[in-house]
Amino acid sequence: LLPARREKAVVSTQSTGKLISCTANYLTQIMLWPGCSDVTGSFRLYKKEVLQDLISSCISKGYVFQMEMMVRAKQLGYTVQEVPITFVDRVYGESKISSKEIIGFWMGMLRLFAST
C-alpha cells in the first residue's frame, strides 16, 4: 500500500522538487513500468513476508531503493495498491536531495532497465 500523489491533489510551490519528482516518475514509467504511479513517495506499507522478500532482492541504496522496491514487487508478482493523498510542501527546512542522489537515481534506473 503506498500513497499516490495525484497531480491535482498536490499543493506545491517548490517547483524544483516537483520537477524532479515528476521527471523521475515519468521516466520510470516509460523505462520500467513499475505498476504504480509514484515511485518517489516514501510512505509505504508492506506485509512482513513481502518486505523480507523484496529487501533480499534489492541492491540499491538511497532514493533509487524506493523505485527498485516497486519494480521488484511487480517482477515477483506482488500487488501494489495506491491511495491518493494530498502532498503539502514542508514549512521548515529544505529538500535533502542532492545532485549525487539524482545521478544515483538515474544510474539505478538504467541498471534496472538493463536487468529487467
Side-chain angles (χ1 to χ4, degrees):
L1 179 66
L2 67 140
R5 295 178 287 185
R6 304 281 188 234
E7 197 60 36
K8 62 185 175 195
V10 174
V11 178
S12 179
T13 57
Q14 297 177 349
S15 59
T16 303
K18 187 174 177 181
L19 177 64
I20 291 169
S21 178
C22 288
T23 303
N25 280 305
Y26 178 74
L27 292 175
T28 302
Q29 295 300 326
I30 290 172
M31 294 179 70
L32 301 172
W33 293 79
C36 65
S37 64
D38 187 0
V39 297
T40 62
S42 61
F43 180 79
R44 298 177 179 183
L45 300 172
Y46 296 94
K47 290 181 179 177
K48 182 180 177 182
E49 302 79 27
V50 172
L51 182 61
Q52 290 171 332
D53 198 14
L54 291 175
I55 288 176
S56 69
S57 68
C58 289
I59 60 170
S60 301
K61 295 181 181 172
Y63 288 103
V64 72
F65 178 77
Q66 298 173 2
M67 174 186 55
E68 184 175 1
M69 290 282 282
M70 292 297 99
V71 172
R72 299 289 181 215
K74 183 179 176 187
Q75 285 178 336
L76 295 171
Y78 293 117
T79 302
V80 175
Q81 181 180 3
E82 296 180 295
V83 177
I85 63 166
T86 299
F87 181 80
V88 180
D89 286 337
R90 66 175 52 90
V91 177
Y92 301 103
E94 296 179 13
S95 174
K96 297 174 277 203
I97 193 163
S98 65
S99 56
K100 182 179 176 181
E101 285 285 351
I102 294 170
I103 292 168
F105 186 89
W106 303 129
M107 297 301 290
M109 184 170 53
L110 292 173
R111 180 185 46 75
L112 280 170
F113 178 74
S115 69
T116 55

